[in-house]
Amino acid sequence: MASNPAATCQANGDSKPGGVPAARRSCGHRSESESDAGPTSKSLARLCSRDDGERRAALEELSQGVLQCLDLDRHGSGRLSKQTLLHLLRLSRSCPLQEVRERAVELLRTAQEQGVEVPRALASGPSAFIPAKEILKGGPNQDVLIESFLSLGRVDHISMVMAMHPAYLCCFLKTQHALLEMDGPLPRHWRHYIAVMAAARHHCSYLVQQHSAGFLEAGGEESWLSGLEHAPAKLRSLQTLNKLLAHRPWLITQQHIQELVCPGAEPRWSLAELIHAVVLMAHAHALCSFVWGCGLNPEPDHIGGYTFQPPSLSHSPHSPAHSPAHEDGRHELADGAVEVEVLMKRMVELQQQQEEEECTQEEMVTRFERERSESIPTAVVRGAPPDLVLRLVEEPEFRYEDFALRGEQSPPTMRAQDYSWEDHGFSLLNRLLPDMGQLLDEKFQIVCNLTYHRMAMHEGVDTQTLRKALWNYIHCLYGIRYDDYDYGSVNVLLERSLKVFVKTMACHPEQTTAHIYHSFWRHFRHSEKVHANLIVMEARLQAALLYILRAITHYMR
């Protein structure tokens, strides 16, 4: 089908001030600069077709539209829009379908040869910490990314890194789709705005841009993104829960719930609406940990992900992964092999010791308190976050504080035996937000049981004790204790550099650096570090949900 070049060509100007580039494009949605793009937006949507023939036709339609637009350019009649160029850049960098990716590269090259200023990506891959060749592999990883592209219309950096663990990615995408897109008590644009509010707490411009685009696609008012004061009072009333969930969820009480849902509350939330909102917030907070913990670069069509400037001749571009911090974190890589052997030995000895010895309950509590109150430095000086984030944060000075500081009175420990996900949280969530408890439970189970029976250069390894130590250490940081777990295992299995990474990522994700990432497990595969990231993210999510669900349970009594 021939493309209409007049519809494809638009003024080649920048987006409106405050506008947000497309970040997560579902097929068929239009962005601000696509509103008149006609066949081009249709052909981009049809690239997601599961029918090979329709996909080829859409690719030809897109190509013809771009080439005819370039022909008009020579006569001064029109230009390729900035948004079309960014679409092509995104497809050239991240589309898992080779024919689409190669055609996008070809079209950008042709446009450049015709004198058009074309954008280029500022980063060499999805992550500043992980080499692109480790992420962009074929096999099962590629299959799940193709499915993601056909379903969602794009493959973002989150999916590309998570695809190192395809089983987890499938479950993650299903849960996120249910939260954001499926039928539920909250309108779709509100869901994205709540996610924006949550991501801003951790200064995560990546997720702020992603959900800002989703918010606009769903019909949200752009003015809301210029500051919280422009959003409805009902959304603003979530700010207290938002900051507590993000930084100190153990402070949440039934009073916080009552203020939002009881008769006479103004504005009033229904319990179903509120549970949807808090799961969205907790999901976004935890995802911030993954984004920062994996050093994700901005998307090619995000602010900060592209430039129209040519590469500098004076110095070659480099990603943050090649900064001094990156090199410093790896200069003792040779010692990593020794560390792996030590960890392997400790795991075996610990298992034997647990079979032979039985600690008293008093000793178990003492070991928990020792881990909870251990001083693990995490403070890193960072520049101020961009304005698109700061204008969406209320009380930016409110941050995580250690659950139990030495010499200070702390809130009571949450004993898992008194309130647990399996016995309490799961059923309550499933009742108030049907199927969500099941989806989250499946995700928790997958990440906890995920194993390839290997560790660094060793095969046939049972890593269950290490995975459990990671999960329980994160819950310990959030004040949750399992009576039947010996927290002495945490100190044996998690060396200090790993604790620094885990605590930073779980409690202060915006302070994660390349040095912190490269300093732990120096001889492990990057996929194993990504697995550790997934455990931290999901353990943090479950901890936050336990506190908010407990408060809702107390309110409902």
Side-chain angles (χ1 to χ4, degrees):
M1 182 171 68
S3 175
N4 178 359
T8 305
C9 306
Q10 302 170 32
N12 188 16
D14 287 347
S15 303
K16 302 184 253 184
V20 183
R24 177 188 171 279
R25 180 79 61 234
S26 297
C27 297
H29 294 143
R30 300 192 306 180
S31 75
E32 40 149 332
S33 53
E34 286 181 304
S35 55
D36 300 316
T40 298
S41 60
K42 291 177 184 175
S43 57
L44 284 165
R46 288 169 58 219
L47 289 177
C48 311
S49 172
R50 296 180 185 277
D51 182 270
D52 291 344
E54 184 175 359
R55 216 165 46 239
R56 282 194 295 272
L59 196 55
E60 289 306 316
E61 178 186 333
L62 175 63
S63 300
Q64 289 303 312
V66 170
L67 293 174
Q68 289 181 49
C69 193
L70 289 173
D71 186 60
L72 285 177
D73 267 346
R74 287 203 295 271
H75 298 89
S77 302
R79 291 180 176 179
L80 280 174
S81 72
K82 176 181 177 180
Q83 202 62 37
T84 297
L85 290 169
L86 289 176
H87 274 309
L88 291 173
L89 176 64
R90 171 169 56 80
L91 291 170
S92 73
R93 301 285 298 186
S94 62
C95 181
L97 299 170
Q98 184 177 355
E99 67 275 16
V100 175
R101 191 169 63 249
E102 290 177 350
R103 184 69 64 88
V105 171
E106 180 184 328
L107 290 171
L108 285 172
R109 185 186 303 119
T110 301
Q112 190 171 35
E113 290 169 353
Q114 295 294 327
V116 175
E117 288 186 357
V118 300
R120 62 182 178 86
L122 289 172
S124 59
S127 167
F129 301 167
I130 308 169
K133 65 181 181 181
E134 295 284 333
I135 299 171
L136 307 176
K137 293 181 178 179
N141 307 42
Q142 200 71 2
D143 293 342
V144 72
L145 291 178
I146 290 173
E147 177 59 34
S148 175
F149 178 78
L150 296 179
S151 300
L152 304 176
R154 69 177 295 140
V155 174
D156 60 19
H157 289 169
I158 292 173
S159 296
M160 293 169 81
V161 174
M162 284 185 181
M164 293 172 124
H165 303 283
Y168 175 83
L169 175 58
C170 288
C171 189
F172 171 85
L173 291 175
K174 186 165 59 172
T175 304
Q176 182 166 262
H177 181 71
L179 269 175
L180 294 170
E181 310 294 339
M182 299 289 281
D183 289 344
L186 293 178
R188 186 167 165 262
H189 66 296
W190 274 41
R191 303 181 198 189
H192 284 286
Y193 194 79
I194 288 167
V196 166
M197 291 166 57
R201 290 291 339 167
H202 285 306
H203 302 172
C204 188
S205 59
Y206 180 99
L207 288 179
V208 167
Q209 291 193 68
Q210 189 176 61
H211 288 289
S212 293
F215 169 75
L216 294 174
E217 288 171 8
E221 292 185 30
E222 191 167 357
S223 63
W224 294 14
L225 298 174
S226 62
L228 292 169
E229 65 275 12
H230 300 290
K234 187 169 179 176
L235 282 172
R236 295 200 308 272
S237 69
L238 290 174
Q239 282 293 43
T240 297
L241 274 185
N242 185 26
K243 72 178 184 181
L244 291 177
L245 267 174
H247 308 298
R248 304 177 210 170
W250 52 87
L251 298 180
I252 297 173
T253 68
Q254 68 186 77
Q255 182 65 29
H256 293 111
I257 309 302
Q258 185 173 334
E259 289 171 358
L260 294 172
V261 302
C262 72
E266 185 58 41
R268 185 184 180 188
W269 290 75
S270 71
L271 263 180
E273 289 174 331
L274 185 61
I275 198 70
H276 195 175
V278 297
V279 174
L280 278 165
M281 288 189 286
H283 170 82
H285 295 149
L287 194 53
C288 288
S289 287
F290 184 82
V291 169
W292 284 112
C294 290
L296 295 194
N297 289 316
E299 295 290 319
D301 51 351
H302 272 189
I303 295 170
Y306 67 89
T307 180
F308 281 87
Q309 299 298 318
S312 170
L313 297 178
S314 60
H315 66 281
S316 59
H318 60 267
S319 73
H322 294 104
S323 67
H326 169 80
E327 298 301 331
D328 183 57
R330 300 182 65 186
H331 78 284
E332 294 178 349
L333 189 59
D335 295 340
V338 176
E339 293 174 358
V340 174
E341 299 300 332
V342 170
L343 179 56
M344 291 274 292
K345 183 179 178 182
R346 286 178 175 177
M347 288 169 65
V348 172
E349 290 176 347
L350 187 62
Q351 194 166 0
Q352 293 173 346
Q353 180 182 333
Q354 289 174 342
E355 291 172 357
E356 297 169 1
E357 299 179 11
E358 187 171 334
C359 289
T360 65
Q361 192 60 41
E362 290 75 13
E363 177 61 22
M364 300 273 263
V365 173
T366 299
R367 291 178 181 181
F368 169 81
E369 294 296 343
R370 189 180 301 134
E371 283 301 326
R372 187 173 70 160
S373 59
E374 182 183 13
S375 176
I376 301 290
T378 56
V380 171
V381 177
R382 275 195 179 275
D387 184 57
L388 67 88
V389 171
L390 270 184
R391 64 195 179 199
L392 296 165
V393 180
E394 195 175 83
E395 291 186 68
E397 68 282 358
F398 188 91
R399 316 302 299 162
Y400 173 89
E401 287 184 358
D402 282 343
F403 183 83
L405 297 171
R406 292 183 187 275
E408 294 186 13
Q409 186 175 2
S410 63
T413 298
M414 178 192 278
R415 296 172 67 247
Q417 282 68 17
D418 296 335
Y419 199 92
S420 69
W421 169 256
E422 294 80 7
D423 297 332
H424 307 90
F426 169 79
S427 57
L428 176 63
L429 185 53
N430 242 17
R431 190 162 77 250
L432 294 177
L433 195 61
D435 299 327
M436 186 50 60
Q438 189 65 45
L439 287 168
L440 287 170
D441 189 63
E442 181 184 346
K443 192 154 59 81
F444 294 149
Q445 292 294 328
I446 285 179
V447 82
C448 287
N449 297 323
L450 187 64
T451 181
Y452 305 95
H453 302 289
R454 67 184 182 219
M455 198 168 76
M457 70 291 292
H458 296 278
E459 302 288 341
V461 181
D462 182 358
T463 60
Q464 195 270 341
T465 55
L466 183 57
R467 284 179 275 126
K468 190 171 185 179
L470 270 171
W471 184 278
N472 287 353
Y473 176 58
I474 295 144
H475 278 198
C476 175
L477 293 173
Y478 278 79
I480 299 171
R481 175 166 63 85
Y482 296 87
D483 285 349
D484 58 352
Y485 184 73
D486 180 4
Y487 287 86
S489 304
V490 171
N491 222 29
V492 172
L493 298 178
L494 309 188
E495 40 91 15
R496 190 168 180 80
S497 61
L498 175 54
K499 284 185 174 181
V500 169
F501 174 79
V502 168
K503 183 173 181 181
T504 302
M505 187 181 156
C507 308
H508 312 273
E510 61 277 8
Q511 296 180 3
T512 308
T513 64
H515 172 72
I516 291 173
Y517 175 88
H518 289 293
S519 292
F520 81 96
W521 286 0
R522 290 174 294 170
H523 222 64
F524 282 60
R525 298 171 176 87
H526 285 287
S527 62
E528 291 171 309
K529 291 192 171 192
V530 170
H531 186 187
N533 270 295
L534 294 175
I535 291 173
V536 175
M537 176 176 73
E538 294 296 343
R540 175 195 172 168
L541 171 60
Q542 190 182 95
L545 288 176
L546 284 173
Y547 281 111
I548 188 74
L549 292 172
R550 183 180 67 170
I552 291 173
T553 298
H554 290 167
Y555 167 77
M556 293 173 66
R557 283 177 181 165

